[in-house]
Amino acid sequence: MRTMQLNEPVLMPVWMIIVAIIGLVLVAAWLLRSLLVTRRDRSREVGDIPMAPAERNRWSERVEAVKERFAAGEIDLRGLHLELASVLRGFAAARSGEDITTATVREILDISAERAPGDVEERLERVRRQRRPLDTNPLGHVGELLAVWEQPSFDRDPEAAAEEALSEAKEVVTRW
């Protein structure tokens, strides 16, 4: 009779356990990094770039030039709003450090958003309904002004709408 000798079970080598643990740590680190990197950056402050009085006066002069062109009848209310929007976009870009010269109103409001991004549509609806900007953030205020100015191409009282737009543009340039 032949006796069979049983061999002891072969255990997993220690190096395989170490590789598995390192793999789990790497996957966890990758997931954590991807969550942190793709999160929306809310840390930057918008509107912190100081502006010299001479430069601010140049922006005020641009608003005045648009006012004079409207008063002379060279442009209509829609043209006034378009030119004021161009001036304020340039001013806000110089003041905030954000390139908003070609940004849409929603993008500007999204840049200036201090709340969740879903608030942009709600803000736009409120602003258009009340026909005046509501945001206290200067860049958000400019974005809301642009939204208001998109609408009244055929206002009942173009002189009053023009005067209001000009005073709002002057206020942004002088106060921000």
Side-chain angles (χ1 to χ4, degrees), residues 91-111:
F91 175 77
R95 193 72 171 94
S96 69
E98 297 288 333
D99 183 19
I100 63 164
T101 53
T102 59
T104 65
V105 169
R106 283 178 179 76
E107 290 170 339
I108 294 170
L109 293 178
D110 195 38
I111 290 170

Side-chain angles (χ1 to χ4, degrees), residues 3-11:
T3 51
M4 282 196 184
Q5 186 177 7
L6 294 175
N7 293 331
E8 289 189 26
V10 178
L11 297 176

Side-chain angles (χ1 to χ4, degrees), residues 8-83:
E8 289 189 26
V10 178
L11 297 176
M12 186 183 322
V14 175
W15 67 268
M16 285 184 153
I17 294 172
I18 292 172
V19 168
I21 290 172
I22 290 173
L24 286 174
V25 168
L26 287 175
V27 167
W30 176 76
L31 282 173
L32 184 62
R33 181 194 172 281
S34 65
L35 288 174
L36 292 175
V37 168
T38 58
R39 249 185 31 174
R40 185 168 175 194
D41 182 16
R42 297 194 179 276
S43 64
R44 65 180 175 190
E45 291 293 320
V46 176
D48 291 345
I49 299 174
M51 185 174 278
E55 188 176 350
R56 187 178 300 275
N57 287 339
R58 277 184 287 208
W59 289 104
S60 293
E61 289 168 4
R62 290 179 183 170
V63 172
E64 285 299 318
V66 173
K67 178 181 179 179
E68 290 169 7
R69 290 190 62 212
F70 180 76
E74 294 177 22
I75 54 175
D76 60 353
L77 181 61
R78 185 172 190 279
L80 174 86
H81 285 140
L82 289 173
E83 289 192 24

